[in-house]
């Protein structure tokens, strides 16, 4: 099979042996796979693949067709369209995944969009509702809302009945994010638009003092991105006075049981909205697998609205 590989902190597309599904696993012919921030960190040598995942084939999400079943796998049949989160290995013509972390692709959803669903919507749903406890009628602030997770979070907040405010640095992307259901503001001075019950932090440490200032009593801050830096100076007295809670979360290294639970939550609470069109999967650009290096360059350049997706012929 052809696969994207990382060697000497550079992207290559090379021939690799096809994987074989183990117990409870399925073999998937990949049709589309989204790029994510973790892939860029892995390229830079800052985010190693977890045990059991290919060490040098990136790809945390994919969508494709089931072409093989490992021992005991029975949830899906040959030919079923599936998508899901992986520990790695999704950016290839073939990959294996445990059947419990896979989800069915809604009828009619194109491959480009399906390839960009699993990571961002699972991450956003887990952060907002499992970690942050977002409820209808509350006020949500999403930082960095033009990206894949941010766009997903804006929409999930809206359909859950929250009032959503989003920060977007690129003026050209603000109208697109507003169309998803948010009041869009510039990152500078976002504190003045509070108070907020939940803040989804996708930018990093520099925002935390402002997040805390903008937080309402009993508010929650969920940190799932640190692209602007992981550290800050925080006034713990403000944390105490506001009875604030700060959560941090990643998905990649979680055990199978926890990943399966997040997949079932997305199946129940998110896929019906995607199937109906109430929630969309913005795609900024698509690239063929053989142009993976260019796709990574586009992802790293920023200034995009939605997902960068590799299409696998």
């Amino acid at each position: 099979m052809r696969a994207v590989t990382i060697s000497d902190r550079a992207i290559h597309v090379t021939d690799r042996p096809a994987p074989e599904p183990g117990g409870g696993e399925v073999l998937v012919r990949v049709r589309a796979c989204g790029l994510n921030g973790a892939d860029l960190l892995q390229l830079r040598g800052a985010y190693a693949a977890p045990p059991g995942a290919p060490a040098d084939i990136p790809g945390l999400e994919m969508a494709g067709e089931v072409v093989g079943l490992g021992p005991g796998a029975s949830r899906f049949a040959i030919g079923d369209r599936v998508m899901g989160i992986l520990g790695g290995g999704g950016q290839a013509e073939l990959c294996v995944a445990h059947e419990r972390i896979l989800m069915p692709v809604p009828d009619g959803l194109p491959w480009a969009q399906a390839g960009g669903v699993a990571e961002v919507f699972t991450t956003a749903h887990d952060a907002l509702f499992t970690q942050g406890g977002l409820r209808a009628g509350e006020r949500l602030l999403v930082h960095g809302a033009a990206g894949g997770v941010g766009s997903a979070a804006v929409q999930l907040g809206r359909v859950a009945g929250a009032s959503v405010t989003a920060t977007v640095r690129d003026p050209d992307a603000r109208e697109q994010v507003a169309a998803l259901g948010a009041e869009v503001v510039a990152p500078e001075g976002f504190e003045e638009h509070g108070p907020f019950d939940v803040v989804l932090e996708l930018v990093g440490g520099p925002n935390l003092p402002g997040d805390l200032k903008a937080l309402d009593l009993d508010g929650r801050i969920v940190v799932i991105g640190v692209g602007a830096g992981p550290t800050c100076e925080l006034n713990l007295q403000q944390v105490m006075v506001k009875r604030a809670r700060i959560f941090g979360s990643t998905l990649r290294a979680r055990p199978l049981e926890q990943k399966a639970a997040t997949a079932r939550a997305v199946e129940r609470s998110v896929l019906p909205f995607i199937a109906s069109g109430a929630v969309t999967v913005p795609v900024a650009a698509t690239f063929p697998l053989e142009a993976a290096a260019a796709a990574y360059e586009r992802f790293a350049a920023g200034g995009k609205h939605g997902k960068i997706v590799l299409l696998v012929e």
Side-chain angles (χ1 to χ4, degrees):
M1 70 173 185
R2 299 289 281 171
V4 177
T5 57
I6 295 174
S7 176
D8 297 325
R9 299 193 179 182
I11 292 293
H12 308 276
V13 181
T14 60
D15 290 319
R16 283 300 179 85
E20 296 185 4
E25 293 181 332
V26 301
L27 180 66
V28 179
R29 179 166 297 284
V30 179
R31 296 299 185 184
C33 40
L35 269 64
N36 294 280
D39 299 320
L40 201 61
L41 289 174
Q42 184 171 344
L43 173 62
R44 294 169 178 167
Y47 198 174
D56 60 347
I57 302 177
L60 274 67
E61 65 180 343
M62 61 79 209
E65 298 155 336
V66 175
V67 293
L69 302 174
S74 59
R75 186 165 187 255
F76 297 100
I78 301 297
D80 283 353
R81 301 200 324 152
V82 296
M83 57 188 178
I85 289 179
L86 308 170
Q91 293 171 17
E93 292 178 327
L94 294 165
C95 74
V96 294
H98 199 284
E99 63 177 2
R100 294 182 61 198
I101 60 92
L102 293 175
M103 302 176 284
V105 175
D107 292 340
L109 188 69
W111 285 124
Q113 281 79 13
V117 167
E119 175 69 18
V120 296
F121 279 94
T122 304
T123 297
H125 186 272
D126 181 75
L128 291 180
F129 302 103
T130 304
Q131 310 297 325
L134 181 67
R135 298 182 293 271
E138 292 192 317
R139 295 196 65 194
L140 167 67
L141 173 65
V142 178
H143 283 300
V149 176
S151 296
V154 165
Q155 296 183 83
L156 294 182
R158 170 178 55 81
V159 297
S163 174
V164 185
T165 300
T167 66
V168 177
R169 184 165 298 282
D170 183 4
D172 294 335
R174 290 173 185 165
E175 185 175 343
Q176 295 168 304
V177 175
L180 298 178
E183 176 190 357
V184 178
V185 301
E188 297 78 18
F190 71 84
E191 304 94 326
E192 306 306 320
H193 297 273
F196 300 102
D197 300 288
V198 176
V199 177
L200 184 62
E201 185 52 70
L202 287 158
V203 174
N207 274 354
L208 261 292
D211 292 343
L212 188 55
K213 180 180 178 181
L215 208 62
D216 206 349
L217 291 175
D218 296 311
R220 293 86 73 194
I221 300 170
V222 187
V223 182
I224 57 172
V226 292
T231 62
C232 67
E233 184 174 309
L234 207 58
N235 185 336
L236 293 181
Q237 190 171 23
Q238 281 189 309
V239 175
M240 296 163 60
V241 169
K242 293 196 171 184
R243 301 191 296 273
R245 284 165 282 173
I246 302 175
F247 299 87
S249 180
T250 62
L251 283 174
R252 187 177 193 181
R254 292 189 190 183
L256 174 62
E257 290 293 332
Q258 293 185 18
K259 288 183 177 180
T262 63
R264 301 294 79 74
V266 171
E267 279 189 21
R268 291 191 305 269
S269 302
V270 178
L271 292 195
F273 288 111
I274 293 177
S276 71
V279 166
T280 62
V281 188
V283 175
T286 61
F287 293 79
L289 185 72
E290 296 290 336
Y296 271 75
E297 290 177 4
R298 176 66 185 89
F299 187 94
K304 59 181 175 58
H305 171 59
K307 297 285 295 188
I308 304 294
V309 179
L310 295 175
L311 298 179
V312 186
E313 296 298 332

